[in-house]
Amino acid sequence: MKKPFVFGVAVEEENFVGRSEEITVLSNHFKYGVNTILLAPRRMGKTSLVKRVAKDVQSDEIRIVHLDIFSCRNEYDFLNIFASAVLKQTSSHFEELMQDARDFLSRIVPKVNFSPDPTQDYSISLGITPRTHQPEEVLNLPEQIARKKGIHIIMCIDEFQQVGEFPDSLYVQKRMRSVWQHQGNVSYCLYGSKKNMMITLFQQRSKPFYKFGATMELGTIPAKDWIPYLRRQFAAEGRELPESLAENICNKVELHSSYVQQLAFNVLVCTPSGTTATYDGLTQAYENLLDENTTLFQEKTENLTSYQLNFLKAVISGIHDDFGKVEVREEYNLGSHSNIVRIKTALVEKELIEIRKDGIYIADPVMKQWLRCRFCWA
């Protein structure tokens, strides 16, 4: 079933909006083998952008390997997923995969699981352990395959911040960097949903991945790109969306990509077929959006301390810096300067606030409104 608006998953085809400049930059990085670190808040379209560019760039000479390492809890979890993705996505047929496994990962016999559904693909399990392989051997697998096949491989690794949670993480990162930086036929696009953890991995001088590649930071998509798309999707469903209302949908969620799609969908279902969307419909749709996210927001805030809630209230009230000023600390009961530092650290780790060049802001624009309503904050 074709969806008029897509949210919660990567968007493709006609649901992909804007990003023309970012597409050009990332395409050039892929074509010329530039390592790329992609930074953006959660649900701002990182995966969608990577898949969009990969589709355009992939060719007989350039192969794209996608993997998501969210489920990895240690180095060998990662190595198994890494090797499986490389073998599977650089092979044109099953026999080629098995031959590559024998050539480059000796001492293992891949276990292959075929889906009973003919429309589904197969999966492989390699069983790589410290007893069978050294990490360096697996980390260099894409380079070996690229040389053999005369291709360039681009490794697109989602949720890369998980590496920072591995046991002996610093040592694991050093090992990855030491192998990957010498590969001439492989480049890397690394991205993840936790922006602040990604910044820690790649922008701190003390970390192994410091200056590993070019950093791309995704901003919001301008309303001028959203408005024609929103109106077109409404028209395809037999409804009209006035331009001013389309702009209001964008502004309501501060141009947050996933929320623009979700709120637009809510407005669509509040608009009877053959009619024009209204501001009353937008109001109801936004209330529905708050309700749909209430459980998530409750889980994220139920264990906050009074100090942490006071800090969020200060941010929502328009305080974005100078939290240590006497009048700010007293008005919002933030405690001592050292306590403010601890509050900031905790709220960043919980992804409730983000630190921008011009100050501190609530990370989620819909959660900001939910907090106002929940705690009766102005």
mmCIF file of all heavy atoms in Angstrom, residues 9-25:
data_model
loop_
_atom_site.group_PDB
_atom_site.id
_atom_site.type_symbol
_atom_site.label_atom_id
_atom_site.label_comp_id
_atom_site.label_asym_id
_atom_site.label_seq_id
_atom_site.Cartn_x
_atom_site.Cartn_y
_atom_site.Cartn_z
ATOM 1 N N VAL A 9 10.385 5.537 9.623
ATOM 2 C CA VAL A 9 11.283 4.697 8.828
ATOM 3 C C VAL A 9 11.943 5.583 7.775
ATOM 4 O O VAL A 9 11.536 6.729 7.556
ATOM 5 C CB VAL A 9 10.533 3.530 8.144
ATOM 6 C CG1 VAL A 9 9.952 2.583 9.177
ATOM 7 C CG2 VAL A 9 9.428 4.060 7.224
ATOM 8 N N ALA A 10 12.969 5.044 7.106
ATOM 9 C CA ALA A 10 13.631 5.793 6.042
ATOM 10 C C ALA A 10 12.651 6.054 4.907
ATOM 11 O O ALA A 10 11.829 5.200 4.566
ATOM 12 C CB ALA A 10 14.835 5.014 5.528
ATOM 13 N N VAL A 11 12.730 7.253 4.334
ATOM 14 C CA VAL A 11 11.831 7.607 3.232
ATOM 15 C C VAL A 11 12.554 7.449 1.904
ATOM 16 O O VAL A 11 13.778 7.611 1.815
ATOM 17 C CB VAL A 11 11.295 9.043 3.378
ATOM 18 C CG1 VAL A 11 10.499 9.191 4.648
ATOM 19 C CG2 VAL A 11 12.429 10.062 3.337
ATOM 20 N N GLU A 12 11.793 7.130 0.874
ATOM 21 C CA GLU A 12 12.357 6.923 -0.449
ATOM 22 C C GLU A 12 11.445 7.531 -1.502
ATOM 23 O O GLU A 12 10.337 7.984 -1.206
ATOM 24 C CB GLU A 12 12.534 5.420 -0.725
ATOM 25 C CG GLU A 12 13.472 4.708 0.243
ATOM 26 C CD GLU A 12 13.553 3.217 -0.014
ATOM 27 O OE1 GLU A 12 12.762 2.718 -0.845
ATOM 28 O OE2 GLU A 12 14.411 2.562 0.596
ATOM 29 N N GLU A 13 11.953 7.525 -2.737
ATOM 30 C CA GLU A 13 11.188 7.949 -3.906
ATOM 31 C C GLU A 13 10.540 9.312 -3.691
ATOM 32 O O GLU A 13 11.200 10.253 -3.281
ATOM 33 C CB GLU A 13 10.141 6.874 -4.250
ATOM 34 C CG GLU A 13 10.708 5.476 -4.441
ATOM 35 C CD GLU A 13 11.699 5.371 -5.582
ATOM 36 O OE1 GLU A 13 11.675 6.227 -6.482
ATOM 37 O OE2 GLU A 13 12.525 4.438 -5.553
ATOM 38 N N GLU A 14 9.219 9.432 -3.948
ATOM 39 C CA GLU A 14 8.566 10.732 -3.915
ATOM 40 C C GLU A 14 8.415 11.288 -2.498
ATOM 41 O O GLU A 14 8.110 12.465 -2.313
ATOM 42 C CB GLU A 14 7.174 10.679 -4.579
ATOM 43 C CG GLU A 14 6.126 9.879 -3.811
ATOM 44 C CD GLU A 14 6.130 8.407 -4.165
ATOM 45 O OE1 GLU A 14 7.089 7.947 -4.802
ATOM 46 O OE2 GLU A 14 5.150 7.725 -3.793
ATOM 47 N N ASN A 15 8.626 10.461 -1.480
ATOM 48 C CA ASN A 15 8.533 10.943 -0.103
ATOM 49 C C ASN A 15 9.838 11.571 0.387
ATOM 50 O O ASN A 15 9.887 12.113 1.491
ATOM 51 C CB ASN A 15 8.134 9.806 0.841
ATOM 52 C CG ASN A 15 6.728 9.304 0.593
ATOM 53 O OD1 ASN A 15 6.527 8.220 0.081
ATOM 54 N ND2 ASN A 15 5.734 10.119 0.926
ATOM 55 N N PHE A 16 10.885 11.492 -0.434
ATOM 56 C CA PHE A 16 12.150 12.142 -0.079
ATOM 57 C C PHE A 16 12.070 13.597 -0.514
ATOM 58 O O PHE A 16 11.812 13.900 -1.677
ATOM 59 C CB PHE A 16 13.321 11.440 -0.765
ATOM 60 C CG PHE A 16 14.667 11.940 -0.299
ATOM 61 C CD1 PHE A 16 15.352 11.281 0.702
ATOM 62 C CD2 PHE A 16 15.230 13.083 -0.849
ATOM 63 C CE1 PHE A 16 16.577 11.759 1.146
ATOM 64 C CE2 PHE A 16 16.444 13.564 -0.413
ATOM 65 C CZ PHE A 16 17.133 12.894 0.584
ATOM 66 N N VAL A 17 12.310 14.501 0.426
ATOM 67 C CA VAL A 17 12.111 15.930 0.177
ATOM 68 C C VAL A 17 13.433 16.690 0.331
ATOM 69 O O VAL A 17 14.179 16.487 1.300
ATOM 70 C CB VAL A 17 11.071 16.517 1.159
ATOM 71 C CG1 VAL A 17 10.919 18.020 0.959
ATOM 72 C CG2 VAL A 17 9.732 15.817 0.987
ATOM 73 N N GLY A 18 13.714 17.585 -0.621
ATOM 74 C CA GLY A 18 14.834 18.515 -0.496
ATOM 75 C C GLY A 18 16.200 17.857 -0.443
ATOM 76 O O GLY A 18 16.452 16.850 -1.081
ATOM 77 N N ARG A 19 17.115 18.500 0.296
ATOM 78 C CA ARG A 19 18.482 18.014 0.520
ATOM 79 C C ARG A 19 19.330 18.017 -0.758
ATOM 80 O O ARG A 19 20.268 17.230 -0.874
ATOM 81 C CB ARG A 19 18.473 16.604 1.103
ATOM 82 C CG ARG A 19 17.765 16.440 2.436
ATOM 83 C CD ARG A 19 18.595 16.932 3.555
ATOM 84 N NE ARG A 19 18.042 16.599 4.871
ATOM 85 C CZ ARG A 19 18.189 17.373 5.930
ATOM 86 N NH1 ARG A 19 18.852 18.514 5.832
ATOM 87 N NH2 ARG A 19 17.679 17.020 7.094
ATOM 88 N N SER A 20 19.032 18.888 -1.718
ATOM 89 C CA SER A 20 19.788 18.874 -2.971
ATOM 90 C C SER A 20 21.268 19.162 -2.740
ATOM 91 O O SER A 20 22.132 18.513 -3.352
ATOM 92 C CB SER A 20 19.196 19.889 -3.961
ATOM 93 O OG SER A 20 19.191 21.197 -3.416
ATOM 94 N N GLU A 21 21.578 20.120 -1.882
ATOM 95 C CA GLU A 21 22.982 20.436 -1.609
ATOM 96 C C GLU A 21 23.677 19.279 -0.908
ATOM 97 O O GLU A 21 24.804 18.898 -1.261
ATOM 98 C CB GLU A 21 23.074 21.698 -0.740
ATOM 99 C CG GLU A 21 24.505 22.138 -0.467
ATOM 100 C CD GLU A 21 24.576 23.423 0.340
ATOM 101 O OE1 GLU A 21 23.574 24.170 0.370
ATOM 102 O OE2 GLU A 21 25.642 23.688 0.940
ATOM 103 N N GLU A 22 22.997 18.693 0.080
ATOM 104 C CA GLU A 22 23.584 17.573 0.798
ATOM 105 C C GLU A 22 23.788 16.357 -0.109
ATOM 106 O O GLU A 22 24.781 15.630 0.020
ATOM 107 C CB GLU A 22 22.702 17.187 1.984
ATOM 108 C CG GLU A 22 22.643 18.225 3.101
ATOM 109 C CD GLU A 22 21.484 19.202 2.909
ATOM 110 O OE1 GLU A 22 21.009 19.355 1.752
ATOM 111 O OE2 GLU A 22 21.055 19.814 3.911
ATOM 112 N N ILE A 23 22.851 16.143 -1.032
ATOM 113 C CA ILE A 23 22.984 15.039 -1.984
ATOM 114 C C ILE A 23 24.239 15.228 -2.836
ATOM 115 O O ILE A 23 25.008 14.286 -3.058
ATOM 116 C CB ILE A 23 21.729 14.946 -2.882
ATOM 117 C CG1 ILE A 23 20.537 14.421 -2.069
ATOM 118 C CG2 ILE A 23 21.987 14.044 -4.085
ATOM 119 C CD1 ILE A 23 19.222 14.486 -2.816
ATOM 120 N N THR A 24 24.462 16.456 -3.293
ATOM 121 C CA THR A 24 25.636 16.735 -4.118
ATOM 122 C C THR A 24 26.927 16.488 -3.347
ATOM 123 O O THR A 24 27.857 15.837 -3.844
ATOM 124 C CB THR A 24 25.604 18.186 -4.622
ATOM 125 O OG1 THR A 24 24.439 18.377 -5.423
ATOM 126 C CG2 THR A 24 26.840 18.507 -5.447
ATOM 127 N N VAL A 25 26.994 16.992 -2.124
ATOM 128 C CA VAL A 25 28.203 16.839 -1.315
ATOM 129 C C VAL A 25 28.476 15.373 -1.011
ATOM 130 O O VAL A 25 29.601 14.871 -1.206
ATOM 131 C CB VAL A 25 28.090 17.644 -0.002
ATOM 132 C CG1 VAL A 25 29.268 17.329 0.927
ATOM 133 C CG2 VAL A 25 28.035 19.140 -0.288
#
